[in-house]
Amino acid sequence: MPRLEIVSNLGRNRSATVGLLIIAVVLLVALIGPRLAPYDPLVPAPLDRLKGPGPVHYFGTDSLGRDIFSRVLYGTRISLVIGLISVAISLAPGTLLGLLSGYFGGWVDSLIMRGMDMLLAFPAILLAIFITAILGPSLPNTMIAVGIVYIPHYARIVRSSVLSLKEQLFVQAIAHLGGTHARILGAHILPNALPPIIVYATLGMGTAVLQAAALGFLGLGAQPPQPEWGAMLSEGRQYIQLAPHVAAFPGAAILLLVLGFNLFGDGLRDVLDPSLRSR
Amino acid sequence: MPLSYISRRLFHLLLILLGVSVLVFLMLRMIPGDPAQLLLGEYARPEELARLRTQLGLDRSYPIQYGIYLQSILRGDFGTSVRTGAPVVDEIGVRLLATIELSLAAMFIATLLGIVAGVISAVKQYSVFDYGSMFLALIGVSMPIFWLGLMLIYLLAVKFPILPMMGRISMGLEAPAVTGLVVVDTLIAGQLGACGDALRHLLLPACTLATIPMAIVARITRSSMLEVLNQDYVRTARAKGLGEAVVILRHALRNAFLPVVTVLGLNLGLLLGGAVLTETIFSWPGLGRYVVDSLMGRDYAAVQGCILIFAVLMALINLIVDLLYVLLDPRIRVHA
């Protein structure tokens, strides 16, 4: 499908438009958020502990008196970076493994896919917790853990595309004309296998943000005093009876960002991969 | 269904589990920190540490440690928890039942409400209900369930104290241990008050855990029903003069069920993962919370046992879904 047609179809798709709008706003906040933040997100103000939302502190303050609105704004950048890097970590090896597995078949396919099956035998969050426990709790390790967990998903998607593409006439013609495996895979199969990968990566951004926030919530992700949304929620849990706003706003921010990626991903799927269209 | 198909799948399952056990064994050894040191504390004497390492088998080579571990598993012995001193099998058993009770309740809620919402949305396509429920479903799949759990606790246990905020049953009440599922056990014993209490404890965590699967089931039921409702046999059923309810429930829904069953199976895996977070929020004494606590406490035997159980459950669920698939759609049987 020509690029112009894709853009015009995306523009007509309501789900994609709303999703893109949310992502654009979040991106803008990530870029200029620190300038908009009325307070320093890390400096405690003991006299202002657990204040409710109001004109001075729009989202209230946390147990150390820090302004939650400022912390949520700063956290936007962290969450977006987590989403992007985690997806990149899953995407690169996942795509390569899927390409090799689908193209060469035989023992290469069996070896790679059985390895992927093993990773898929764990519930995702459990595997992520496990990997973080090995690497140690920190933000970069969270991204690595979430990235590793989703490698099999990309490998499977790419493999299934390659399986059908390699039987197509144009690929077989290039092979007969003496095209090398690397050239066939890189220049001919990969570009044609891209639409489902792009769709899954967009939806995967939302999943990665959710999983990273879950690790932060369990105390295995970003460490205090970093204003990561999951870690902020974890702190809010202790004060849920006294000051529910401490947990409410970071959670709502996660929901909004994930909703944006899901809406845009759904729209992209409808446009790029009509066979999977959700009615 | 050919026996060779089932036996091939079972063999495949065994291979995966063997691989998982090696993977878990190696990964646990990569976790920084010495379990003996962790147990005896910072000021333990070197000879005490050496004695405990020998006791736990940590002074042997990895292949020998793994060999001993595998032999024990095959005997049904998952080792002893270094935190509590109790056999891991016993600890897992009690907690697994708590997780199963929670997951079954969540699955029940997700399936019932998800299918009803999906069917109504499809039958009344482009209505206010359709738009509303599909929007809610989209919110549902985007929801951090640990946040939803906290907000439900605040709303229904703190602000309007209708439901209890944690545990399986109120203090002072006790369920006789028959099945390990508190709601069932209290019902069997005829303790209706205690059963009601257990159900009230179950409601908040089950609803929290049900959110994402419910949203997914609603979406897939809707799209699957829409596809089926346009088929000729549905038109024929209507033309025969059958009532709309019969057409939808007997002719359309039954045929739309295949993708729904797959999604339900996949969701059971999702529920097991979700249980880790839900159990932490609601202090539910299940396997999810136990595995996190064990990992933090470097309780190797407990973590290995739990993760193997999780992997077995996931693999079994996938197998059952595939078999159900064959049973539900006779056309697949030919190729199976």
Side-chain angles (χ1 to χ4, degrees), chain B residues 111-154:
Chain B
T111 311
L112 188 73
L113 298 185
I115 289 182
V116 169
V119 169
I120 298 178
S121 286
V123 173
K124 299 194 179 302
Q125 196 184 8
Y126 304 131
S127 66
V128 177
F129 182 90
D130 183 24
Y131 284 122
S133 62
M134 285 307 113
F135 180 68
L136 280 180
L138 197 65
I139 299 267
V141 287
S142 312
M143 183 86 78
I145 60 163
F146 40 100
W147 178 66
L148 175 69
L150 287 178
M151 293 299 111
L152 286 177
I153 287 179
Y154 174 70

Side-chain angles (χ1 to χ4, degrees), chain B residues 78-323:
Chain B
F78 282 66
T80 309
S81 160
V82 287
R83 286 182 305 144
T84 61
V88 169
V89 167
D90 297 348
E91 299 222 321
I92 288 180
V94 180
R95 287 169 176 86
L96 179 63
L97 290 167
T99 298
I100 288 178
E101 183 169 40
L102 178 60
S103 303
L104 283 179
M107 202 65 199
F108 176 73
I109 296 171
T111 311
L112 188 73
L113 298 185
I115 289 182
V116 169
V119 169
I120 298 178
S121 286
V123 173
K124 299 194 179 302
Q125 196 184 8
Y126 304 131
S127 66
V128 177
F129 182 90
D130 183 24
Y131 284 122
S133 62
M134 285 307 113
F135 180 68
L136 280 180
L138 197 65
I139 299 267
V141 287
S142 312
M143 183 86 78
I145 60 163
F146 40 100
W147 178 66
L148 175 69
L150 287 178
M151 293 299 111
L152 286 177
I153 287 179
Y154 174 70
L155 204 68
L156 298 173
V158 178
K159 183 99 173 155
F160 307 103
I162 308 165
L163 294 166
M165 63 195 284
M166 56 177 66
R168 290 179 81 183
I169 194 163
S170 293
M171 297 259 275
L173 291 174
E174 213 171 305
V178 185
T179 61
L181 310 178
V182 174
V183 173
V184 178
D185 288 349
T186 45
L187 200 63
I188 291 172
Q191 303 170 351
L192 290 183
C195 180
D197 183 77
L199 271 175
R200 288 178 61 240
H201 277 83
L202 188 58
L203 202 58
L204 274 189
C207 284
T208 305
L209 190 55
T211 309
I212 295 179
M214 181 160 55
I216 299 174
V217 169
R219 289 174 70 162
I220 200 82
T221 306
R222 176 182 180 274
S223 66
S224 184
M225 277 294 283
L226 280 178
E227 215 146 281
V228 170
L229 284 173
N230 286 328
Q231 300 286 327
D232 285 343
Y233 57 81
V234 172
R235 214 165 296 141
T236 310
R238 281 206 180 104
K240 277 196 303 187
L242 291 178
E244 193 60 16
V246 178
V247 172
I248 288 165
L249 294 179
R250 196 181 297 162
H251 293 259
L253 186 59
R254 212 188 142 191
N255 286 296
F257 225 59
L258 212 57
V260 179
V261 168
T262 318
V263 167
L264 282 175
L266 291 173
N267 279 337
L268 269 171
L270 205 75
L271 281 182
L272 289 179
V276 175
L277 293 165
T278 313
E279 288 174 3
T280 306
I281 301 163
F282 290 95
S283 301
W284 189 264
L287 205 56
R289 205 177 129 210
Y290 180 68
V291 73
V292 174
D293 290 347
S294 304
L295 204 56
M296 303 295 181
R298 305 276 185 278
D299 195 342
Y300 282 5
V303 176
Q304 283 181 140
C306 286
I307 293 191
L308 266 184
I309 295 290
F310 268 115
V312 170
L313 286 176
M314 292 274 281
L316 278 179
I317 289 165
N318 286 337
L319 183 68
I320 293 169
V321 170
D322 280 359
L323 298 184

Side-chain angles (χ1 to χ4, degrees), chain A:
Chain A
M1 194 186 295
R3 264 180 223 167
L4 210 62
E5 198 183 330
I6 293 175
V7 175
S8 116
N9 284 348
L10 270 178
R12 275 200 297 271
N13 187 299
R14 214 178 318 162
S15 174
T17 315
V18 177
L20 196 61
L21 202 69
I22 295 176
I23 296 171
V25 169
V26 174
L27 203 63
L28 193 70
V29 170
L31 288 174
I32 61 165
R35 286 194 195 172
L36 296 177
Y39 297 89
D40 187 317
L42 303 180
V43 176
L47 291 177
D48 290 334
R49 294 179 72 236
L50 300 177
K51 287 225 164 114
V56 183
H57 296 284
Y58 304 135
F59 291 175
T61 61
D62 66 8
S63 63
L64 296 174
R66 294 171 300 196
D67 181 55
I68 294 177
F69 179 65
S70 305
R71 285 176 70 72
V72 168
L73 288 185
Y74 271 84
T76 311
R77 194 176 282 188
I78 298 179
S79 286
L80 272 180
V81 170
I82 289 176
L84 274 172
I85 296 186
S86 306
V87 167
I89 292 174
S90 327
L91 191 66
T95 305
L96 184 68
L97 290 171
L99 280 174
L100 296 176
S101 183
Y103 184 72
F104 289 109
W107 66 267
V108 177
D109 183 31
S110 295
L111 191 73
I112 293 174
M113 280 303 127
R114 292 304 81 79
M116 297 296 105
D117 281 351
M118 252 190 274
L119 287 181
L120 284 170
F122 300 91
I125 183 74
L126 201 60
L127 185 58
I129 290 173
F130 207 19
I131 297 171
T132 326
I134 295 170
L135 301 174
S138 74
L139 200 56
N141 291 344
T142 299
M143 297 183 226
I144 296 174
V146 174
I148 292 175
V149 167
Y150 288 99
I151 289 176
H153 296 246
Y154 289 92
R156 279 190 160 190
I157 288 170
V158 175
R159 176 181 176 269
S160 69
S161 297
V162 175
L163 280 180
S164 72
L165 281 170
K166 76 172 180 184
E167 300 300 332
Q168 302 229 347
L169 209 57
F170 75 95
V171 173
Q172 295 190 351
I174 298 159
H176 283 302
L177 287 172
T180 59
H181 291 317
R183 186 161 172 72
I184 295 172
L185 274 173
H188 299 283
I189 291 188
L190 182 60
N192 283 296
L194 276 179
I197 304 178
I198 294 170
V199 170
Y200 198 81
T202 312
L203 292 167
M205 287 279 288
T207 316
V209 169
L210 271 182
Q211 293 285 9
L215 288 177
F217 179 73
L218 291 170
L220 292 164
Q223 297 298 300
Q226 274 180 310
E228 193 270 325
W229 294 340
M232 288 168 71
L233 253 172
S234 172
E235 194 212 334
R237 183 184 166 214
Q238 299 165 43
Y239 302 99
I240 193 70
Q241 300 193 48
L242 265 174
H245 66 270
V246 180
F249 291 107
I254 300 173
L255 173 61
L256 187 71
L257 180 56
V258 178
L259 185 67
F261 283 123
N262 283 348
L263 278 168
F264 187 57
D266 273 358
L268 258 183
R269 182 183 49 202
D270 290 351
V271 172
L272 290 180
D273 204 347
S275 62
L276 297 171
R277 192 184 298 262
S278 56
R279 292 196 187 213

